Amino acid sequence: MRNSPSANARLINFLGSMNLAISLLVVVAIASIIGTVLQQNQPYTSYQIKFGPFWFDLFKSLDLYDVYSALWFLAILAFLVVSIATCVGRNTPGIIRELRHFRENVQEKSLRAMKHQKEINSTQNANATQALATRILHAQGFKTRQKAAEDHTVVAGMKGSANHWGYWLTHIGMIVIFLGGLMDSRLPIMIAEWQGNLKPETRNIPASEVPAISQLPDTSFSYRGSVDIPEGSRANIIFQPVRDGYLVQHLPFEVEVKEFRVEHYSTGQPKSFESDLIIHDKTLDAPLETTISVNHPLIHKGVAIYQANFGDGGSELKLRLHSLSNRYASQDIDGKVFRDYTLTSSDQQYKLEINDFRLFNINDMEDSSGKIEKKNVGPSVTFKLRDATGQALEYQNYMNPLSIKGQNYYISGVRATPNEPFRYLHIPVDPKGSMERFMRFLSNIQNTELVKQSALQTTRNSMQQTTVVDPTVEVQIVESMQRLTEQFVTKGSEGIMAEIAAKFPQDKQESAAEAFMKVLNAALREVYKETLKQEGMTAEPTEADWLFFDDSLLAIDKLPAYGSPWLVHMDSFKQIEASGLQITRSPGKDVVYFGSLMLTIGVFLLFYVAHRRIWVWIKPLDNNQAEIVVAGSSNRNQPEFERYFQQLQDVFQQVMKQEVKHVDSPTNH
Amino acid sequence: MSTPQQTIDSLIDQPSVFQQLRLSDWLWAALVIAASVWVFFQYGNVMDEYEIGILALTAPSWIALGWYWKAFRPYTIAVALLSLLGIWLYGGNYANAEQVFGLKFLVSSQSAVMWMSALFVLATVTYFAGLFTNNAFTLKTGSAMTWVALVMGFTGLMVRWYESYLIDPEFGHIPVSNLYEVFILFCIITGLLYMFYEGRYKNRSLGGFVLMVISAAVAFLLWYSYTKGAHEIQPLVPALKSYWMKIHVPANFIGYGAFALAAMTSIAYLLKHRGQQRNANGLLATRLPSLEMLDDITYKAIALGFAFFTIATILGAMWAAEAWGGYWSWDPKETWALIVWLNYAAWLHLRFSKGWRGVPMAWWAIVGLFVTLFAFLGVNMFLSGLHSYGEL
Ligand code: HEM
């Protein structure tokens, strides 16, 4: 025996220690929490905005944006596995000993010192007693071993060895799971990156332009990525996301999406997504045709193809851009989703980026009775309008008018960032079901000549009533009407209010605003009447016409904040969908499942099987009888064992006191 | 007349499990099999092969449960009869929910859940009243109320299952698909686990403690359905249309329920411990079960929860592999399941290998409930990820 253990033994002691194991369990748990609190693998710019440069850099150097692939996290996991393995390795010899040995060499003293033990007198001789004891233990499911010594005999029994197998299965199962996970992990990618052979691409460019250093061959051992394939197209690559970029992974075959379908419930919510696929594989005699859907993947040559989501595959849209200003013209665009278009207004150039087309939009709609209901409000187009400085606003425009509280409107939503909700513009629909009247009215109030005429008309009408005719006053009023109208179109009522706030003292502002609005309203009403006349209406405007007028003013009031020189309306479309496929090759999956099975069986064995031992120590007495000591132990569930032992000792007691003359041989075995 | 030899044989020989069964046990088995066959012929046309497999496995588990735990039989029969009553009253017409008296006030899923909610809260109060007054009858009343609440809750789920098909055959699905439904499931499973231990240990003094956590769940349930209309039956999103859901979710909730039970018995443990230190003749020290028994129940509940949570997590991984193409994505819900699992693994190790007992372990089990709660609810509320079906 050495006094101090060698360094090796100390290391093994440390690695296999329970304290380390528990600490590691807790550390892994805490480390895992970080990754759930901090959203992982977002674009780096959004982290930068959120945390500021200092924390951004610090978190980045700690790999907190991709915790579960971070070296330190993997190292802790590996440490845990090493610890489990050491523990199993260290305990296994002991367990085998435990399973093999019946411990028939116990001392009487130690039996009598046990918590569960009982001394019983047997009316039989020692041999018969031994036979009976053995029978009792066998009947209870124990395996036994006997040992005869000079002055006594021992029957040692045990059962429930499966408990120890449980320990073994549980812990080995975990190692197996970890190894399976390792087979499917990104470790090869991380190593290649580290060696400088691989670099994720961060630009948004077509796959064909991605440089070789960001590509992986179709022979990769494991991968997991996704690709959107438009109907009628094919692909032989997937994109594997890595931190804020991606890698292009080649596939050993080509996937064609023949058709993509969304089935809907009666409420309009999606019921299932399905793709008809054709797999073009040179090693197959004929292309493989099949249909996949959510929860029903295709597995071909160890590569699994899943229906993950869907999106637009470049739908063709006919867009009408209604100019919101008289200084430049309306125009039409034959657009495609994901393409950009250059537009010119009077003062600057814009880029129109079409981002998405949706055939169905299930929105919460208030019906005429005020009840909120989910309703399909029809197709929409989502696009960004980017000005020359690169600033962009995002728009979502619905193709069909929506009915809100009995009135119909064309709806367009606008927002500056994806985090905020859309603010909506409601353009009233005219009796012909179009935007024509609104657009004409909008154009008319920008027509200086027409506004002047109308203002003059209004002023004269009202002056006739008051019979004061003063040309200077008239000119003043007309001029202010013109000015207010122009201000309203360019800056909205807010602009007018701001001017009032600047010009008038606080206590006069309210009355000034009231007067201004009255004047403005009178002018606009006249322009509106003129608009109706241009439409060919001769009769006096109806109440509905005035409602339209009010709605128009509300819409025009919001135009300055709308931020777009055009109102884009989708006149027609041809939908092309793209099927979103997730494609994986994970050779470790079955290993993980096997490990999981071991773990599950192991856990149940550990909890629900107890390893029990019973000893019967038999001492012959002079009167041809015997004295026995029954003792027992269990490694689990003491309360239950206590009850069990009580029953068992009763059995022994009753059997041993029976008077039987000839029991030299154990019967019926 | 029996000879000594025969007596000895009868003393020694152990009857096998099947020999120990009585007529009533066989009747129970026959009943469950008959019911399963009936379900198969009645609803087999809307089941796929996996679901038929699940049915075929449910029957023996149900038989075994009834053999192991006798009270489970009348419970099942009551639920079955009430559910059939509900189905019969509907007569294939969903509008009956508002028109037929028996549905409107008793067994439509909503009314049944209301009954369950009210009874659980009442039973909590009753149990505590019985504990303070040391009145056996009051405690018994608490048990009876809990049983009725459990019957109503389970009936509510069964009838809801049927209702989902009534609204539209395409909507039909097992009611474990959103937070509202799983909260009911949580109440039922936690309650059943408690009733099992109550019967096993012949001790009713823990009822109030365990039902406290159920009452909290009921409060959430009511808030959730009143403010968010969560009780409305919605069709399933495509990702949830899978037989995996039928086994993954219940397995998970056996885990959650058992962990919740363990936390509540740990609270009782701490109170008892404190009571004993302060005043050995005080209310807490005398009325609550012994520390050994509380410790034992806590351990058993955590072991059971751990075993089922292990299965549930593995099933979840298998489902994820089928729906998302990866058995493990470090999605927040998955990760939190792992955290819960690691937490209880550490608990079990401390208890088993280091022999830790008592106050620290009780505290740990209580903290464990909060960790579990976060995995179950917090993730849906605060974190985003693939598991966003049950968002608040
Ligand atoms: C870090 C490495 C680990 C070590 C060194 C370790 C060690 C041990 C040891 C020595 C036992 C006692 C066996 C017995 O009582 O016969 C045990 C039991 C157990 N271990 Fe581990 N273990 C580790 C990790 C884990 C993990 C990660 C789990 C996850 C679930 C786990 C699950 C169990 C279970 C369920 C038991 C049985 C506890 C009980 O009997 O109640 N072990 N472990």
Side-chain angles (χ1 to χ4, degrees), chain B residues 141-376:
Chain B
T141 312
S143 293
M145 284 172 155
T146 310
W147 272 121
V148 181
L150 288 168
V151 168
M152 293 316 285
F154 207 149
T155 304
L157 283 186
M158 297 301 282
V159 174
R160 187 178 170 89
W161 199 347
Y162 176 74
E163 284 170 358
S164 69
Y165 280 89
L166 263 192
I167 291 178
D168 184 336
E170 295 204 316
F171 282 24
H173 60 269
I174 187 171
V176 293
S177 69
N178 61 27
L179 266 183
Y180 173 80
E181 294 165 346
V182 298
F183 255 84
I184 302 174
L185 187 68
F186 173 79
C187 294
I188 298 172
I189 288 180
T190 313
L192 281 176
L193 285 172
Y194 168 69
M195 291 318 281
F196 173 78
Y197 288 116
E198 182 181 289
R200 182 62 36 128
Y201 289 86
K202 304 200 170 32
N203 190 313
R204 294 201 161 92
S205 53
L206 291 175
F209 292 92
V210 178
L211 263 75
M212 224 157 46
V213 76
I214 299 183
S215 291
V218 162
F220 176 84
L221 188 71
L222 295 181
W223 169 78
Y224 192 45
S225 63
Y226 279 122
T227 61
K228 312 261 172 170
H231 53 270
E232 304 261 339
I233 296 177
Q234 298 283 344
L236 287 180
V237 301
L240 289 184
K241 296 185 74 145
S242 163
Y243 58 89
W244 287 109
M245 186 174 80
K246 292 190 172 59
I247 41 182
H248 168 65
V249 179
N252 239 323
F253 276 81
I254 295 179
Y256 290 147
F259 294 148
L261 179 75
M264 299 322 277
T265 51
S266 293
I267 290 178
Y269 186 100
L270 293 176
L271 289 175
K272 169 97 177 176
H273 182 80
R274 198 160 231 231
Q276 280 182 343
Q277 282 182 333
R278 290 255 174 96
N279 175 4
N281 300 320
L283 203 67
L284 291 172
T286 53
R287 301 280 165 79
L288 289 173
S290 71
L291 289 180
E292 290 71 38
M293 180 175 144
L294 288 168
D295 182 73
D296 195 40
I297 299 183
T298 306
Y299 162 69
K300 287 203 169 120
I302 287 186
L304 181 79
F306 187 80
F308 275 89
F309 203 72
T310 306
I311 295 183
T313 308
I314 292 168
L315 289 174
M318 296 171 98
W319 185 5
E322 205 162 296
W324 306 329
Y327 50 85
W328 198 261
S329 316
W330 295 102
D331 159 77
K333 193 90 178 175
E334 284 173 356
T335 309
W336 272 94
L338 178 71
I339 292 164
V340 168
W341 192 74
L342 292 173
N343 178 51
Y344 286 107
W347 192 95
L348 288 165
H349 277 94
L350 277 179
R351 191 174 193 279
F352 256 91
S353 301
K354 307 231 71 163
W356 279 29
R357 293 287 139 100
V359 175
M361 297 308 273
W363 276 111
W364 193 330
I366 294 167
V367 172
L369 177 63
F370 285 94
V371 178
T372 308
L373 196 67
F374 193 84
F376 164 12

Side-chain angles (χ1 to χ4, degrees), chain A residues 18-19 22 25 28-29 32-33 36-37 39 68 73 132 135-136 139-140 171 174 180-181 184 224 265-267 269-273 294-295 297 306-307 582 584 586 588-589 592-593 596 599-600 603-604 607-608 635-637 639-640 651 654-655 658-660 663 667-668, chain B residues 4-5 7-9 11-14 168 170-171 234-242 244 296 299-300 303-304 306-308 310-311 314 317-319 321-332 335-336 338-339 341-342 345-346 348-350 352-354 364 383-384:
Chain A
M18 189 49 98
N19 288 348
I22 293 166
L25 291 179
V28 174
S32 305
I33 293 177
T36 67
V37 175
Q39 227 180 356
Y68 308 114
F73 186 76
L132 280 173
R135 261 192 72 199
I136 293 173
Q140 301 274 341
H171 294 83
M174 262 176 300
D184 293 343
R224 178 171 176 193
Y265 290 110
S266 53
T267 54
Q269 286 141 293
K271 183 172 119 197
S272 78
F273 311 134
V294 178
N295 278 318
Y306 302 86
Q307 182 72 62
Q582 169 102 230
T584 64
S586 68
K589 187 169 98 173
V592 169
Y593 287 176
S596 303
L599 175 63
T600 309
V603 165
F604 274 89
F607 292 150
Y608 297 109
N635 71 342
R636 282 283 179 286
N637 212 342
E640 201 126 295
V651 173
Q654 292 188 25
V655 169
Q658 297 292 324
E659 301 262 358
V660 180
V663 261
T667 45
N668 53 21
Chain B
Q5 185 62 49
T7 323
I8 289 181
D9 288 348
L11 277 172
I12 293 179
D13 291 335
Q14 298 288 310
D168 184 336
E170 295 204 316
F171 282 24
Q234 298 283 344
L236 287 180
V237 301
L240 289 184
K241 296 185 74 145
S242 163
W244 287 109
D296 195 40
Y299 162 69
K300 287 203 169 120
L304 181 79
F306 187 80
F308 275 89
T310 306
I311 295 183
I314 292 168
M318 296 171 98
W319 185 5
E322 205 162 296
W324 306 329
Y327 50 85
W328 198 261
S329 316
W330 295 102
D331 159 77
T335 309
W336 272 94
L338 178 71
I339 292 164
W341 192 74
L342 292 173
L348 288 165
H349 277 94
L350 277 179
F352 256 91
S353 301
K354 307 231 71 163
W364 193 330
L383 307 175
S384 60

Side-chain angles (χ1 to χ4, degrees), chain A residues 479-581:
Chain A
E479 268 177 8
S480 68
M481 278 187 172
Q482 272 184 288
R483 196 172 41 80
L484 280 173
T485 308
E486 193 190 326
Q487 227 159 21
F488 179 61
V489 183
T490 51
K491 299 204 186 90
S493 53
E494 234 170 85
I496 298 178
M497 288 304 175
E499 191 185 302
I500 292 173
K503 271 193 189 158
F504 292 87
Q506 188 100 40
D507 54 335
K508 296 271 171 56
Q509 282 176 14
E510 202 171 313
S511 54
E514 205 171 306
F516 272 42
M517 284 308 160
K518 224 176 194 163
V519 173
L520 174 63
N521 203 327
L524 293 176
R525 280 172 82 94
E526 200 55 40
V527 179
Y528 182 61
K529 278 194 198 158
E530 192 55 39
T531 310
L532 294 183
K533 258 187 223 147
Q534 290 171 358
E535 230 178 69
M537 254 180 66
T538 45
E540 272 298 297
T542 62
E543 195 172 329
D545 290 326
W546 287 120
L547 261 170
F548 186 99
F549 171 73
D550 291 342
D551 282 336
S552 301
L553 292 197
L554 285 177
I556 293 168
D557 192 15
K558 283 193 191 154
L559 281 180
Y562 185 63
S564 163
W566 297 275
L567 186 81
V568 177
H569 181 252
M570 178 162 57
D571 283 345
S572 66
F573 60 84
K574 177 165 172 269
Q575 188 186 26
I576 298 171
E577 296 185 282
S579 177
L581 303 179

Side-chain angles (χ1 to χ4, degrees), chain A residues 24 27-28 31 70-82 178:
Chain A
L24 284 173
V27 168
V28 174
L71 213 55
W72 61 266
F73 186 76
L74 296 181
I76 300 175
L77 279 186
F79 203 30
L80 181 68
V81 170
V82 169
F178 183 84

